[in-house]
Amino acid sequence: MPTLILVRHGRSTANTAGLLAGRTPGIALDERGAAQAAALPGRLDGLPIAEVVTSPLQRCQETIRPLLEARPQLTAHIDERIGECDYGDWSGRKLAELKDEPMMEVVQAYPSAAAFPGGESLRAMQARAVEAVCEWNARVERDHGADAVYLMCSHGDIIKSLVADALGLHLDLFQRISVEPCSVTAIRYTRLRPFLVRLGDTGDFASLVPREESADDDAPVGGGAGAP
């Protein structure tokens, strides 16, 4: 079965503003995010990408635009199922404010029970994303062969949930996974099991440098802004 390259969108204006963007329209890449997107074709050079699938949201489409320009034979397929989690009433709010919401403790410690007010549950988010990958695996194998490579551009929580599924981890453990903006994660699917062969690879170790302020113990909802 195919190898799936998962790319999280580049850093967005919501990331730098500390907002939980969700499905809020008009969230674009910031200057650094645009630079990350511009570097993506070079990072993926040599990979024979057969198909590109993307979330419908602007920040994902901006992230893959340089790749599509570098490879004009590719077109982007939009799949709503790998779109951002529907955070409902939390969408557009400051993450600093949301830390005081009782539901945030559930999101951190027991995500399989978390359902966002006016939005969807994390279980439903994972289920639709896994369904999309299963269908695209079959489609890509049918059209391009079992050794094909294809790419999906999506969002932090979506990618973390797909990694958890590939590793056989319960959703309650998915907050232990980290994927920075414009990071590359690769899962090779086989008949019997998936293999996680890259996780959150940015080619940059800046996020490992100790920070002056103490690190937050909570996992950033939506994926966080990455290295300073």
Side-chain angles (χ1 to χ4, degrees):
M1 295 176 69
T3 296
L4 169 60
I5 306 298
L6 288 161
V7 176
R8 185 184 167 201
H9 62 78
R11 197 175 74 175
S12 72
T13 53
N15 292 144
T16 45
L19 298 176
L20 182 61
R23 299 179 178 180
T24 306
I27 302 296
L29 299 183
D30 68 5
E31 185 176 352
R32 180 172 177 177
Q36 291 170 332
L40 192 60
R43 291 171 61 200
L44 299 176
D45 187 41
L47 275 179
I49 298 171
E51 299 281 2
V52 172
V53 188
T54 183
S55 158
L57 293 175
Q58 178 180 339
R59 53 195 183 272
C60 285
Q61 298 196 43
E62 289 181 355
T63 298
I64 61 164
R65 187 173 299 148
L67 178 65
L68 297 175
E69 291 172 351
R71 303 195 190 196
Q73 76 277 16
L74 293 175
T75 56
H77 304 276
I78 295 174
D79 194 322
E80 300 274 353
R81 295 172 297 179
I82 62 166
E84 181 64 286
C85 183
D86 183 357
Y87 298 115
D89 298 342
W90 283 22
S91 300
R93 292 181 59 187
K94 287 274 189 182
L95 288 166
E97 297 172 0
L98 292 170
K99 292 175 76 68
D100 296 327
E101 293 281 352
M103 178 57 68
M104 182 60 83
E105 187 176 11
V106 181
V107 170
Q108 293 295 325
Y110 188 19
S112 64
F116 296 97
E120 70 178 333
S121 69
L122 286 171
R123 283 186 296 120
M125 176 203 75
Q126 183 187 43
R128 61 175 166 82
V130 170
E131 177 186 74
V133 167
C134 288
E135 290 186 13
W136 276 101
N137 280 347
R139 176 172 172 176
V140 169
E141 181 172 4
R142 180 197 69 205
D143 294 345
H144 303 283
D147 295 326
V149 176
Y150 74 107
L151 182 147
M152 282 185 168
C153 186
S154 188
H155 306 268
D157 282 348
I158 292 283
I159 294 172
K160 287 163 57 177
S161 75
L162 288 170
V163 170
D165 175 75
L167 292 175
L169 292 178
H170 196 284
L171 185 61
D172 287 342
L173 301 179
F174 101 126
Q175 297 290 28
R176 302 184 183 195
I177 299 165
S178 176
V179 289
E180 291 201 2
C182 222
S183 62
V184 173
T185 294
I187 302 171
R188 180 173 294 123
Y189 289 88
T190 74
R191 186 174 63 85
L192 296 180
R193 66 184 62 85
F195 292 91
L196 179 66
V197 293
R198 291 287 188 280
L199 175 61
D201 188 347
T202 62
D204 179 1
F205 294 102
S207 63
L208 303 180
V209 176
R211 302 185 186 183
E212 293 183 6
E213 70 276 12
S214 59
D216 194 335
D217 289 337
D218 285 345
V221 181

